[in-house]
């Protein structure tokens, strides 16, 4: 299936039926803001320890549209959620994620570093997150450093297929990575799941680079420091959407609203929609 055509049709539909589409960036209403996806980065990680059930549950309570998760793999092959490639910063342990067994990883306290009230939070598994949140909130799945985990794309695809979550209808699943080769593989394995490329590198914003991304990606997701209105327009003209990160202040969120991105990836979902 031609993903670009599908996305293009979606953009055209939105423009046709969005009553706010004629408004300029400076005239955004709260109603219009609802058109943008509110993505809780590592969960509502401004308020609870990142990549834990506490942070994801809070994001759901705050009515985020998506939770963003970072997927890596234990020494014995279990997919787990953690951002860094070591456990040092966000747990009471030390070492590389890939050198620790699932039992070792699961025994770590992933909450106390953030606040004593979160003591006992555990590293979630990828599969338990799929089961817990499917149908409740979208899931933006980042393959973190997939070059360290050969075959992780297939493992992720398998978990989604087993649950029938590889079909677009109502599942709100997106897969993204800074590793573009990994995203090409994921696109082959999961042709109906939207794919995103992550970058903070301006070299990836040339017309040539964007054109190449659009052959397999549905989302171009840059850090907000390199976002311009022109870049948003270029990305849209290629049939891709844009989600930008990581908005950690109201000013950053407001900037991204004005730029017209499609999703705001934030530690503070309440900054994106204060009513939530
Ligand atoms: O979703 C975008 C963002 O998560 C990419 O950066 O380092 O927070 O994984 P990072
Ligand atoms: Ca991430």
């Amino acid at each position: 299936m031609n993903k670009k055509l599908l996305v293009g049709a979606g953009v055209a539909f939105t423009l046709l039926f969005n009553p706010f589409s004629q408004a300029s960036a400076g005239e955004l209403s709260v109603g219009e803001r609802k058109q943008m996806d509110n993505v809780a980065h590592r969960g509502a990680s401004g308020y609870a320890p990142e990549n834990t059930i506490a942070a994801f549950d809070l994001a759901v309570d705050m009515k985020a549209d998506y939770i963003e998760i970072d997927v890596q793999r234990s020494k014995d092959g279990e997919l787990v959620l953690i951002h860094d490639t070591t456990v040092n910063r966000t747990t009471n342990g030390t070492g590389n994620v890939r050198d620790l067994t699932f039992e070792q990883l699961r025994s770590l306290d992933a909450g106390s570093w953030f606040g004593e009230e979160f003591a006992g939070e555990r590293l979630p598994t990828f599969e338990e997150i799929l089961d817990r949140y499917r149908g409740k909130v979208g899931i933006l799945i980042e393959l973190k450093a997939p070059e360290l985990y050969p075959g992780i794309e297939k493992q992720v695809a398998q978990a989604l297929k087993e649950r029938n979550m590889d079909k677009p209808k109502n599942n709100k699943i997106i897969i993204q990575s800074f590793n573009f080769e990994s995203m090409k593989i994921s696109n082959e394995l999961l042709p109906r799941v939207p794919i995103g490329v992550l970058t903070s590198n301006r070299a990836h914003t040339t017309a040539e680079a964007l054109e190449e991304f659009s052959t397999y990606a549905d989302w171009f997701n840059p850090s907000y420091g390199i976002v311009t209105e022109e870049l948003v327009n270029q990305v849209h003209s290629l049939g891709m959407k844009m989600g930008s990160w990581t908005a950690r202040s109201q000013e950053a969120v407001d900037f991204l609203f004005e730029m017209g991105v499609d999703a705001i990836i934030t530690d503070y979902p309440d900054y994106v929609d204060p009513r939530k």
Side-chain angles (χ1 to χ4, degrees):
M1 187 176 296
N2 186 328
K3 297 168 87 176
K4 284 174 67 182
L5 274 181
L6 266 180
V7 173
V11 169
F13 183 89
T14 303
L15 287 172
L16 264 177
F17 293 99
N18 176 0
F20 302 104
S21 62
Q22 300 304 312
S24 70
E27 297 167 343
L28 297 176
S29 69
V30 173
E32 187 174 24
R33 290 185 163 207
K34 293 256 317 163
Q35 304 298 314
M36 293 183 187
D37 285 325
N38 184 351
V39 182
H41 179 243
R42 313 179 196 167
S45 59
Y47 301 108
E50 63 186 59
N51 281 308
T52 64
I53 298 279
F56 300 137
D57 279 356
L58 186 55
V60 173
D61 289 347
M62 296 173 90
K63 303 211 167 19
D65 299 300
Y66 287 81
I67 52 173
E68 189 257 3
I69 66 176
D70 297 296
V71 181
Q72 297 190 60
R73 191 167 68 200
S74 70
K75 185 179 181 181
D76 50 350
E78 187 77 37
L79 298 179
V80 293
L81 304 195
I82 185 167
H83 176 271
D84 299 2
T85 55
T86 77
V87 299
N88 304 359
R89 178 177 62 88
T90 57
T91 78
N92 60 341
T94 56
N96 294 321
V97 175
R98 64 176 167 161
D99 294 334
L100 298 168
T101 65
F102 177 61
E103 194 180 345
Q104 288 171 318
L105 289 169
R106 193 70 153 182
S107 71
L108 300 175
D109 179 344
S112 291
W113 70 276
F114 192 89
E116 273 316 306
E117 66 274 33
F118 297 106
E121 285 290 329
R122 302 290 159 200
L123 266 67
T125 69
F126 177 56
E127 298 202 34
E128 78 178 303
I129 292 309
L130 294 182
D131 292 334
R132 185 178 179 97
Y133 295 106
R134 64 180 303 176
K136 292 188 182 139
V137 66
I139 307 177
L140 174 58
I141 301 164
E142 180 181 347
L143 304 194
K144 179 59 76 186
E147 59 278 7
L148 298 178
Y149 308 105
I152 193 170
E153 298 85 2
K154 196 167 182 186
Q155 219 175 329
V156 165
Q158 189 61 31
L160 291 171
K161 286 178 178 174
E162 278 167 10
R163 292 164 176 79
N164 224 15
M165 293 174 79
D166 59 321
K167 318 283 191 307
K169 196 177 175 187
N170 297 329
N171 277 320
K172 293 210 316 189
I173 297 290
I174 303 169
I175 299 181
Q176 65 172 2
S177 185
F178 288 97
N179 184 319
F180 307 144
E181 291 309 310
S182 175
M183 291 301 91
K184 289 180 191 170
I185 294 168
S186 293
N187 186 45
E188 294 289 323
L189 292 169
L190 296 163
R192 300 178 72 183
V193 172
I195 297 295
V197 289
L198 285 163
T199 188
S200 54
N201 186 344
R202 281 197 175 82
H204 295 141
T205 65
T206 63
E208 297 71 29
L210 294 172
E211 176 73 38
E212 156 72 4
F213 291 138
S214 73
T215 62
Y216 60 90
D218 308 273
W219 288 80
F220 178 76
N221 293 348
S223 53
Y224 72 83
I226 62 171
V227 173
T228 62
E229 249 177 317
E230 187 191 356
L231 181 61
V232 174
N233 291 337
Q234 274 180 292
V235 165
H236 284 167
S237 71
L238 287 164
M240 294 186 289
K241 291 185 174 183
M242 184 188 290
S244 185
W245 47 277
T246 300
R248 295 189 168 105
S249 68
Q250 191 63 61
E251 290 71 26
V253 166
D254 291 345
F255 167 74
L256 291 172
F257 273 124
E258 286 186 22
M259 292 300 102
V261 300
D262 304 284
I264 297 178
I265 302 170
T266 178
D267 294 354
Y268 301 92
D270 51 328
Y271 290 179
V272 177
D273 189 342
R275 298 172 306 178
K276 290 178 175 175

